[in-house]
Amino acid sequence: MENHMVTCKKRIGMPLNWSREAGKDEIRISIDSVYLYFVMGIVQPSASGRRLFACKKQGGICVIVIKNGRVVDPQNGVDKITDILVIDGKIGMIAPQIHVEHAKIIDATGKVVVPGFVDIHVHLREPGFEHKESIRTGTMSAAMGGFTTIACMPNTKPAVHSKEIVHYILDKAEKEGIVNVLPIGSITTNLDGSTLTNVKELVQSGVVAISDDGKTPMDTGIMEKAFEEASKNQIPLIDHCEDHDLAKGGSVNEGKASERTGIKGIPNAAEWRIVARDIALAEKYGTHLHIAHISTKESVALVRKAKEKGLKITCEAAPHHFALTDDVVTRQDTYTKVNPPLRSQDDVDAVRLGLKDRTIDIIATDHAPHDEDSKRVAYEEASFGISGLETAFAISYTELVETGILSFSQLVDKMSYLPSKIIGIDRGALTVGKVADLVVLDLNQEENIDASKFVSMGKNTPFHGKRVKGKVLYTLVDGNVVMEKGVVLCS
């Protein structure tokens, strides 16, 4: 792959056992011919006598020790310097001074270890648009950004409207993906806005939510049925809120940006009117409504009011909607074209406040990669979307934590546990006995974003050249290192 090295590494280890030396605070795992027989109740003896290895090989058990890192786990109330032992894909122990001979050692001194990030709004483009992104390249991009689980939107070709397409995505992700991939099913067939899909069948096939992201079903009758089905099947309905009659033909925010550029604008009302409609439907049917890429002050106010009423409403903000205003929009820079559009300073301030006061639950990238031909055209003709997986953490840390809007722990929660909770998966915490999905971060490293180095096929970002702080150094999925210091490792 251009400008990036992809490599496979095989690590061979030796059988191990462990003991705590009398009178010492350290846990020492030493090498001999004895099989590991007990580690905090996580690994038990088996009839086959499985051996421990420093990395997975021929049925052996992968052993990794992450040493001396500041472990931050908001859900377990942890923020301390300690070691983490990873065994056979799970967290085996969290304790200081764990020593293992011939295991893979990750020296996290001066670094931070957090739960793997979870993004519930990603466009992998496959099937149908593999010239923009594929499941393989999209999951590689996710690993670079510290995301260990991603949920992919259904606006593919064909759309994710049948069990066959769901199975295709899951099978392809199993074979070619390097992070966990969870499909989101479409609300309507081919996203046509008029024919409801078989939601029960989609859920049984493995979708974690339904959405017509990229479009909004304007027929309230269809949406009533969709909300009812989502409620029956106990999954969230993820809502792309856009009144197509109001937004028709628009490409930028209505206001200063549209006046300055002469490009037709999209008013705030195109978003908040659908937000209001669908909050009412969520209240009527008791549905979990999740509002995607919220961008206007009016929408934030509506969600805040709905939450005060106790409705099951969650929402997300994308980094570009709290880090950029429509002041950056020019006719020449189609990388700023996104839907919903970059908004005014007042709207950005409202989104930031919403993140701070927990009106906005999570951060999601809305990763929307495009080929160059889709962007190197007139602004009005260019495709909407920003490639976001590889820049999300650094932008969020720089814009939200460094500015005091969120604490670091709050940011981690909004990028790991809380999105997991929304789609009902057991991720986002560093708990002994649970799956070892985690990342190692350097919060002091600064760099300029360089889109040419993206692993994603989509280089379309308005953040190229932006100075940011915070770097993902390691990404572990199911206890395996899938990204190490900028190098994606073969699964």
Side-chain angles (χ1 to χ4, degrees):
M1 179 167 290
E2 188 176 346
N3 296 319
H4 188 79
M5 179 173 66
V6 180
T7 183
C8 294
K9 296 182 181 180
K10 294 183 179 179
R11 298 183 178 87
I12 302 174
M14 296 291 290
L16 305 170
N17 77 318
W18 78 274
S19 64
R20 186 185 293 274
E21 294 188 13
K24 293 186 178 181
D25 290 330
E26 67 182 21
I27 297 169
R28 181 166 296 279
I29 301 179
S30 58
I31 186 166
D32 60 21
S33 60
V34 181
Y35 297 136
L36 180 71
Y37 64 92
F38 175 75
V39 176
M40 297 294 285
I42 305 307
V43 178
Q44 298 288 350
S46 65
S48 61
R50 293 173 70 195
R51 295 187 175 193
L52 275 175
F53 289 93
C55 230
K56 199 164 285 186
K57 176 179 170 62
Q58 297 178 349
I61 300 175
C62 181
V63 180
I64 299 171
V65 179
I66 303 171
K67 295 196 66 63
N68 302 318
R70 175 191 168 197
V71 176
V72 177
D73 178 7
Q75 284 307 305
N76 286 317
V78 175
D79 189 342
K80 63 181 180 181
I81 296 174
T82 190
D83 296 351
I84 298 178
L85 175 63
V86 176
I87 299 183
D88 200 24
K90 292 184 169 58
I91 296 174
M93 187 182 297
I94 301 175
Q97 300 186 59
I98 299 173
H99 298 279
V100 180
E101 295 179 6
H102 296 276
K104 176 176 176 58
I105 303 296
I106 296 177
D107 183 5
T109 303
K111 309 302 187 289
V112 182
V113 186
V114 301
F117 302 143
V118 176
D119 189 354
I120 67 172
H121 194 147
V122 173
H123 298 275
L124 290 180
R125 304 300 192 199
E126 187 175 1
F129 302 102
E130 289 86 350
H131 60 292
K132 296 176 181 286
E133 191 79 285
S134 68
I135 288 172
R136 177 150 182 79
T137 60
T139 58
M140 290 168 62
S141 178
M144 289 292 290
F147 292 95
T148 54
T149 298
I150 56 177
C152 56
M153 284 296 176
N155 56 339
T156 50
K157 189 176 182 180
V160 187
H161 57 211
S162 68
K163 63 181 180 182
E164 289 79 13
I165 304 302
V166 175
H167 292 156
Y168 170 85
I169 291 171
L170 291 172
D171 291 345
K172 199 74 180 291
E174 178 68 24
K175 294 174 183 176
E176 298 185 9
I178 64 169
V179 305
N180 303 302
V181 175
L182 303 172
I184 295 169
S186 63
I187 295 172
T188 62
T189 302
N190 285 321
L191 282 72
D192 63 11
S194 60
T195 308
L196 192 69
T197 56
N198 186 333
V199 176
K200 182 177 180 180
E201 180 181 89
L202 290 173
V203 172
Q204 290 173 341
S205 300
V207 306
V208 294
I210 56 171
S211 178
D212 267 9
D213 188 60
K215 296 182 179 180
T216 298
M218 295 298 294
D219 187 327
T220 302
I222 287 291
M223 285 300 279
E224 291 225 20
K225 293 177 183 177
F227 273 84
E228 186 174 16
E229 285 299 307
S231 183
K232 284 181 182 177
N233 288 278
Q234 298 182 320
I235 57 168
L237 187 152
I238 300 178
D239 208 2
H240 173 104
C241 296
E242 180 183 14
D243 185 322
H244 297 301
D245 294 329
L246 291 176
K248 188 176 181 179
S251 297
V252 299
N253 188 40
E254 184 178 272
K256 292 181 180 179
S258 59
E259 293 168 3
R260 185 179 67 253
T261 62
I263 300 170
K264 189 177 187 316
I266 300 173
N268 283 22
E271 177 178 287
W272 69 256
R273 286 187 180 179
I274 299 298
V275 170
R277 180 197 74 173
D278 291 350
I279 286 175
L281 292 177
E283 182 173 18
K284 180 177 180 179
Y285 292 101
T287 310
H288 178 182
L289 170 64
H290 178 78
I291 296 169
H293 44 49
I294 197 166
S295 70
T296 71
K297 58 186 178 183
E298 297 91 348
S299 297
V300 174
L302 286 166
V303 171
R304 185 177 289 114
K305 185 176 180 180
K307 288 191 171 191
E308 289 171 356
K309 291 176 66 176
L311 301 184
K312 196 172 184 180
I313 310 293
T314 55
C315 66
E316 70 192 40
H320 46 270
H321 284 132
F322 58 74
L324 296 173
T325 70
D326 57 3
D327 288 340
V328 303
V329 174
T330 65
R331 269 197 167 273
Q332 293 72 37
D333 188 2
T334 58
Y335 286 176
T336 63
K337 185 177 180 180
V338 64
N339 193 16
L342 301 179
R343 300 287 189 181
S344 70
Q345 185 66 59
D346 286 347
D347 293 310
V348 170
D349 290 343
V351 170
R352 289 185 170 213
L353 177 59
L355 286 163
K356 184 179 182 66
D357 71 12
R358 301 183 182 180
T359 298
I360 300 175
D361 302 84
I362 68 168
I363 293 167
T365 67
D366 190 12
H367 176 72
H370 285 293
D371 57 301
E372 286 300 299
D373 289 344
S374 296
K375 286 290 190 178
R376 287 183 176 173
V377 292
Y379 205 100
E380 292 89 341
E381 298 171 9
S383 296
F384 289 101
I386 291 171
S387 182
L389 283 168
E390 294 170 60
T391 58
F393 171 70
I395 291 169
S396 298
Y397 183 77
T398 302
E399 295 291 332
L400 299 177
V401 178
E402 287 288 286
T403 59
I405 294 170
L406 295 180
S407 68
F408 177 66
S409 180
Q410 288 171 329
L411 176 62
V412 171
D413 218 20
K414 288 182 183 292
M415 294 186 71
S416 57
Y417 176 76
L418 294 176
S420 302
K421 183 179 178 182
I422 287 170
I423 58 173
I425 62 171
D426 188 14
R427 291 293 192 275
L430 301 176
T431 304
V432 172
K434 296 296 181 71
V435 173
D437 284 358
L438 53 87
V439 294
V440 180
L441 308 168
D442 184 343
L443 300 184
N444 295 315
Q445 185 167 335
E446 295 186 41
E447 63 181 2
N448 295 328
I449 292 173
D450 185 349
S452 70
K453 295 181 179 178
F454 285 1
V455 176
S456 170
M457 293 169 66
K459 317 301 182 187
N460 49 299
T461 177
F463 292 111
H464 178 73
K466 178 179 174 62
R467 189 74 174 172
V468 290
K469 192 173 183 181
K471 180 78 171 176
V472 180
L473 298 181
Y474 292 85
T475 303
L476 277 71
V477 178
D478 295 330
N480 292 302
V481 179
V482 297
M483 192 281 289
E484 181 175 342
K485 296 181 179 179
V487 178
V488 175
L489 307 179
C490 290
S491 58

